[in-house]
Amino acid sequence: RRKENMIVYGSEYGSAKWYAQTLGKKMNMEAVDVRQFKGGEDPVIFISSLYAGGFKGARQFLKTMNKMDQKRFVLVSCGLADPKEEHVQKEIVCHAHAVFDPLDFEWFGVRGGIDYSRLSWKHRTMMKMMKTMIEKKGMEENNKEFLSTYGKKASFCDEAWLDDVIEYLNIHEKGTVPE
């Protein structure tokens, strides 16, 4: 069976999966959970939810990429923080390089959502610790959005976040993106 361009996602609560399925429909590409990922042709797109700086499914994704001897992919991180903010971009990309080195990737960020009623005990505890740290350190000004959504349900999922990814893939598919 011929391997095809593929969208792989690592999702805990559904935002990364939603983006993968939405992108898949728009680009006529298959979207699969990272646990079912067996390989695909360049470019493989990995959409991963962010949790405390960790990329959901990264270990499994890397294992499969190494088996395929593939060195490049498109990384789409999905988190609550706004990836258009420079300090957020720097933090995500720096961590991504540490996790995915030596693979080469093109990074895009999208915003996900949160529903505290669906969070595991571990994730609720992590969010409570983060809120406490923000308040103790007097960092409320830089974390207004986090504090305003704390304990609630909020979604920032929007197809428009995929526009840059789609533009990149359309150019890449035509072979005009430099290596």
Side-chain angles (χ1 to χ4, degrees), residues 48-67:
S48 177
S49 294
L50 290 172
Y51 297 98
F55 293 88
K56 178 73 177 174
R59 188 175 299 135
Q60 181 64 45
F61 180 76
L62 283 166
K63 192 172 159 184
T64 303
M65 290 292 281
N66 287 332
K67 278 185 199 169

Side-chain angles (χ1 to χ4, degrees), residues 121-136:
W121 178 85
K122 176 182 160 187
H123 289 147
R124 276 196 313 273
T125 302
M126 287 169 58
M127 298 304 268
K128 174 83 171 143
M129 288 169 56
M130 187 164 166
K131 180 178 184 273
T132 302
M133 182 198 72
I134 288 167
E135 292 170 345
K136 277 187 178 177

Side-chain angles (χ1 to χ4, degrees), residues 70-108:
Q70 229 172 309
K71 304 293 181 225
R72 295 178 60 232
F73 69 102
V74 175
L75 174 63
V76 181
S77 64
C78 178
L80 281 179
D82 186 345
K84 294 208 184 298
E85 291 183 18
E86 192 175 333
H87 73 280
V88 173
Q89 279 181 22
K90 283 182 181 176
E91 191 175 317
I92 294 169
V93 171
C94 180
H95 189 68
H97 280 291
V99 170
F100 297 105
D101 186 60
L103 299 181
D104 184 32
F105 60 85
E106 187 72 31
W107 174 78
F108 299 92

